[in-house]
């Protein structure tokens, strides 16, 4: 069965510092991986996704993530945090043929001035 | 631009009332989903549909029911609301399509339900 683990329910970084949000997955077949962002009282917005091909994927707002099969990881990074990045971030996995999306528990990012 | 709409955005209702949360999408997607999200917590899949007249229960047991009579519409109903149903409900849709893999799910803005 597929599952997602996000390490760290809360992460704080200073404005301008590196953002690193961790995601590990479990899947019996090659997975499709996603990062979403959620602002208060809003739905989820896609940041980026990995399906096949290049393992380093770039998304919106300067975020990127690298798929590492050997580590079953898909960590999200941004070189320089901005105040507007403060939000909840969710990692998700989907397997071919299931059409279901399984989400991690989320990481709340706080950006300090 | 494709979009997915949920109404109402906020609902406060008394115990025992019947409620329906609406979800509509304009993208022609076959796959639709309902997730329940408690404050500061993960999303739990409670219902999904792969097309008209197709509905399945998700990974989290829910007393709610759904229907899929039209492709674009996927309402969720609670026959008798209870305080334990207080939560945020998120609707989503996707369309892997033939030959297209790894399509993302598109989300509505959610309905925050409070049962008093």
């Amino acid at each position: 069965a597929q599952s997602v683990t996000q390490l760290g329910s809360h992460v704080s970084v200073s404005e301008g510092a590196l953002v690193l949000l961790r995601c590990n997955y479990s899947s019996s077949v090659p997975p499709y991986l996603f990062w979403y962002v959620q602002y208060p009282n809003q739905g989820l917005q896609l940041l980026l996704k990995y399906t096949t091909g290049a393992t380093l994927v770039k998304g919106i707002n300067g975020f990127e993530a690298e798929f590492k099969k050997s580590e079953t990881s898909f960590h999200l990074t941004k070189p320089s945090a901005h105040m507007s990045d403060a939000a909840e971030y969710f990692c998700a996995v989907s397997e071919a043929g299931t059409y279901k999306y399984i989400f991690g528990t989320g990481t709340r990012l706080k950006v300090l001035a | 631009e494709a979009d997915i709409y949920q109404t109402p955005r906020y609902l406060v209702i008394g115990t025992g009332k019947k409620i329906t949360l609406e979800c509509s999408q304009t993208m022609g997607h076959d796959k639709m989903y309902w997730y329940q999200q408690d404050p500061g917590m993960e999303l739990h899949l409670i219902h999904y549909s792969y097309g008209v007249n197709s509905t399945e229960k998700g990974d989290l047991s829910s007393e709610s029911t759904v229907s899929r009579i039209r492709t674009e519409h996927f309402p969720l109903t609670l026959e008798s609301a209870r305080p334990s149903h207080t939560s945020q409900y998120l609707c989503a849709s996707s369309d892997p399509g033939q030959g297209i893999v790894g399509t993302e799910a598109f989300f509505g803005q959610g309905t925050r339900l409070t049962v008093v």
Side-chain angles (χ1 to χ4, degrees):
Chain A
Q2 48 189 332
S3 65
V4 174
T5 301
Q6 290 184 243
L7 291 176
S9 58
H10 293 81
V11 171
S12 294
V13 299
S14 299
E15 191 173 21
L18 171 72
V19 175
L20 170 61
L21 304 182
R22 299 179 186 274
C23 172
N24 288 88
Y25 70 90
S26 172
S27 177
S28 57
V29 298
Y32 306 130
L33 296 161
F34 309 85
W35 274 101
Y36 284 86
V37 61
Q38 185 181 34
Y39 298 101
N41 297 317
Q42 297 292 322
L44 275 67
Q45 178 185 6
L46 182 72
L47 279 176
L48 48 81
K49 66 180 181 181
Y50 169 80
T51 54
T52 59
T55 56
L56 181 63
V57 292
K58 296 184 183 299
I60 62 172
N61 302 338
F63 285 94
E64 61 182 38
E66 186 171 11
F67 170 62
K68 292 187 176 181
K69 185 178 178 181
S70 61
E71 298 177 8
T72 62
S73 69
F74 190 57
H75 301 331
L76 180 72
T77 61
K78 182 174 180 177
S80 177
H82 192 272
M83 297 298 288
S84 61
D85 294 328
E88 189 91 19
Y89 291 80
F90 291 92
C91 183
V93 64
S94 178
E95 291 180 347
T98 68
Y99 307 124
K100 288 165 64 175
Y101 301 83
I102 305 301
F103 287 82
T105 51
T107 297
R108 178 152 296 176
L109 177 65
K110 186 175 181 179
V111 182
L112 308 171
Chain B
E1 182 179 302
D3 232 329
I4 180 164
Y5 307 94
Q6 289 187 245
T7 57
R9 288 291 315 280
Y10 302 92
L11 178 62
V12 180
I13 201 161
T15 299
K17 299 292 186 182
K18 177 180 178 179
I19 60 170
T20 296
L21 307 184
E22 302 288 348
C23 176
S24 295
Q25 48 98 2
T26 60
M27 298 170 274
H29 285 172
D30 284 333
K31 281 70 176 177
M32 295 190 73
Y33 313 84
W34 276 104
Y35 287 87
Q36 183 174 340
Q37 183 184 32
D38 292 321
M41 297 183 69
E42 65 191 289
L43 285 76
H44 292 285
L45 181 66
I46 52 174
H47 297 284
Y48 60 99
S49 167
Y50 288 166
V52 171
N53 294 325
S54 151
T55 61
E56 301 286 344
K57 289 190 177 297
D59 303 322
L60 179 68
S61 176
S62 173
E63 294 169 349
S64 59
T65 59
V66 293
S67 62
R68 191 88 183 277
I69 299 172
R70 303 197 316 264
T71 297
E72 63 272 20
H73 196 214
F74 191 41
L76 180 146
T77 298
L78 275 166
E79 289 293 334
S80 179
R82 294 207 300 268
S84 61
H85 296 140
T86 294
S87 189
Q88 170 147 274
Y89 293 84
L90 292 168
C91 181
S93 71
S94 73
D95 184 25
Q98 263 193 328
I100 301 174
V101 298
T103 305
E104 66 270 28
F106 295 83
F107 281 82
Q109 291 199 306
T111 294
R112 184 166 294 282
L113 172 66
T114 302
V115 183
V116 298

